[in-house]
Amino acid sequence: MVTKSSRVKTYSHRGQTTRPALRFALSEFLTINHLCMTLIDAVGWFTSPRRPSLLRMHQRFARKGSSMKKVTALAVLAGLTIALTGCTDSDATDPSPGTSGDLRKVRVAALPISETAALWGGIKAGIFREQGLDVEVVPAQGGAQAIPALINGDIDFAIGQPFGPFRADLQNLGVVIIGNYASSYADGDDINAVVASGKSGITRPAQLAGRKVSVNSLGAAGDVTIMAAVEKDGGDPTKIKFVEVAFPDAPAQLAAGNIDAAWVTEPFITQMRKRGDVLVVAPYQATVPGLTTLTTITSSKLKDSDAELIADFSAAMKKTLTWAKDPANEKDLRQAIKDNLELPEPVADSVRLPAFGWELDRAGLEQLATLAQKYRVLDRRPDFDRLIQQQ
């Protein structure tokens, strides 16, 4: 996964005591990987030198006895983040010339990363127009961030990592997964890996215990699968010191000695290995081979009220992901990356893309949730019969 922007976060979500809906907005707001610069410019509070850190605010609001006024205020800020991020920018896909009034407008939230090439490419290829849909891609800064917008009806669908819908289901917020989008590889070179500094002496997963390891988002698939890989190799997963570092910043943090190892994606894996860093483990392959990385989600309200839209969008997505897997379309797929992301052309031409596909691997998702519960990232498993509604 290659991202367009880079930010560093070093906080986690713990000690939550607010009501479910507000708690979800608060916790997921604090785990967003990258905040939109539009929001920072628009809300002067965020740039004030006097403001408390988001971590201190979260800790203060989570303390027993915190007033609901404070919790509500932060929830409003989270909603403002979503609203501003929902505004289309240069990454958004403009309606195609000649779009007729007969097409139904659909808003889809997706991260500005290389994996979104399938969606961008499918739109440009006219696949969604064939289903009567005019799709607007809304740049999201995280899958979980899009969930409040889904619930409010500001967007129709979202593409994001599984832990957003996992947590939404645990709070019964009315979110369903209607299809897969992308998965890792069960064998061969995978799309992510833990890479350690060549000076650290780390060569195997067990040696990550007691070391500082970065992930792009705390409390998600990265740290969960790393803990599982360490335990499988005989190490103590509870002793890993996880910190949150955006993928593009991880190579510099590792070189500076601020971390001992980093969980990263391409092109960073190749770049770091070329300079002498060591690939320690591909944690998805070591724990849940072929694990789902991105899912397609919507609200249960939309699913129940507009079956025609769900069917049309699902059919277009299935055809789009099949199109993206066809080697004959690779040139167009990579052109979509160049058109929508500010990446050097050699990177766009060589970055390893995931395994695209519409059919969900429910067993893999359930295994991931079981591991998350085991390592106390989730307090219980989602209701998969309610959450997964494959179309």
Side-chain angles (χ1 to χ4, degrees):
M1 175 171 60
V2 178
T3 61
K4 182 179 179 181
S5 61
S6 98
R7 303 246 175 204
V8 178
K9 302 281 189 276
T10 56
Y11 43 75
S12 60
H13 41 266
R14 298 184 184 277
Q16 302 166 8
T17 59
T18 59
R19 291 183 300 177
L22 291 176
R23 184 172 69 232
F24 181 86
L26 172 61
S27 63
E28 298 306 336
F29 172 64
L30 290 171
T31 57
I32 295 168
N33 294 341
H34 312 294
L35 288 175
C36 185
M37 289 306 296
T38 304
L39 175 66
I40 295 175
D41 292 337
V43 186
W45 181 89
F46 278 98
T47 57
S48 171
R50 297 182 182 179
R51 67 170 176 81
S53 70
L54 292 177
L55 175 57
R56 292 202 301 275
M57 286 189 63
H58 175 47
Q59 291 170 335
R60 184 189 309 153
F61 293 165
R63 284 200 303 264
K64 186 176 182 180
S66 294
S67 71
M68 285 307 298
K69 289 183 179 179
K70 291 180 179 178
V71 177
T72 302
L74 190 54
V76 170
L77 286 175
L80 181 58
T81 302
I82 294 158
L84 288 176
T85 306
C87 299
T88 55
D89 61 14
S90 59
D91 293 325
T93 303
D94 294 328
S96 300
T99 296
S100 73
D102 295 330
L103 297 181
R104 184 169 181 180
K105 190 76 174 180
V106 176
R107 303 188 85 215
V108 182
L111 283 72
I113 56 177
S114 54
E115 281 89 333
T116 306
L119 178 60
W120 292 322
I123 293 170
K124 189 171 183 179
I127 295 173
F128 289 87
R129 290 197 302 274
E130 292 173 1
Q131 294 295 142
L133 303 175
D134 176 16
V135 176
E136 175 189 3
V137 180
V138 180
Q141 303 308 313
Q145 184 188 16
I147 287 176
L150 270 178
I151 297 170
N152 292 336
D154 297 325
I155 58 174
D156 303 297
F157 303 93
I159 296 169
Q161 298 177 10
F163 272 83
F166 280 5
R167 290 190 171 96
D169 181 80
L170 291 178
Q171 297 176 48
N172 196 20
L173 295 181
V175 172
V176 292
I177 301 175
I178 61 171
N180 198 59
Y181 181 86
S183 302
S184 60
Y185 291 96
D187 50 42
D189 293 335
D190 206 359
I191 56 176
N192 62 67
V194 176
V195 180
S197 167
K199 301 175 182 178
S200 68
I202 300 172
T203 58
R204 53 185 293 178
Q207 295 172 326
L208 295 172
R211 301 300 189 97
K212 189 178 290 186
V213 181
S214 73
V215 291
N216 74 312
S217 181
L218 293 167
D223 44 8
V224 168
T225 55
I226 291 170
M227 286 188 280
V230 167
E231 183 174 25
K232 184 177 180 180
D233 194 42
D236 185 349
T238 66
K239 293 184 177 179
I240 304 171
K241 302 171 185 177
F242 286 109
V243 297
E244 191 168 294
V245 178
F247 288 138
D249 296 318
Q253 293 292 318
L254 191 65
N258 295 328
I259 53 177
D260 299 302
W263 181 58
V264 292
T265 61
E266 290 290 6
F268 309 111
I269 297 172
T270 299
Q271 293 172 351
M272 294 164 76
R273 293 183 73 182
K274 283 183 177 180
R275 74 182 189 187
D277 295 326
V278 179
L279 192 152
V280 179
V281 64
Y284 285 11
Q285 286 185 354
T287 55
V288 189
L291 179 65
T292 291
T293 58
L294 294 170
T295 60
T296 305
I297 63 177
T298 190
S299 67
S300 55
K301 180 179 179 181
L302 182 62
K303 174 184 172 295
D304 295 338
S305 65
D306 199 336
E308 182 179 1
L309 175 59
I310 297 295
D312 288 343
F313 183 78
S314 298
M317 283 295 294
K318 184 175 183 179
K319 188 178 295 185
T320 288
L321 297 173
T322 300
W323 172 90
K325 288 192 297 185
D326 188 342
N329 298 319
E330 183 176 358
K331 182 178 179 180
D332 292 335
L333 190 65
R334 294 191 180 277
Q335 185 60 48
I337 298 176
K338 298 172 188 177
D339 292 342
N340 292 276
L341 297 178
E342 297 171 0
L343 293 178
E345 188 165 327
V347 174
D349 286 335
S350 62
V351 63
R352 183 161 174 74
L353 293 170
F356 293 111
W358 181 244
E359 296 301 316
L360 284 160
D361 176 13
R362 173 168 172 162
L365 290 173
E366 291 193 17
Q367 188 176 350
L368 178 63
T370 298
L371 290 173
Q373 186 178 10
K374 175 181 179 179
Y375 297 119
R376 301 183 180 180
V377 171
L378 297 178
D379 57 7
R380 64 190 187 281
R381 282 163 49 96
D383 181 344
F384 281 97
D385 289 336
R386 175 176 63 190
L387 176 62
I388 295 183
Q389 302 292 321
Q390 175 76 62
Q391 299 300 300

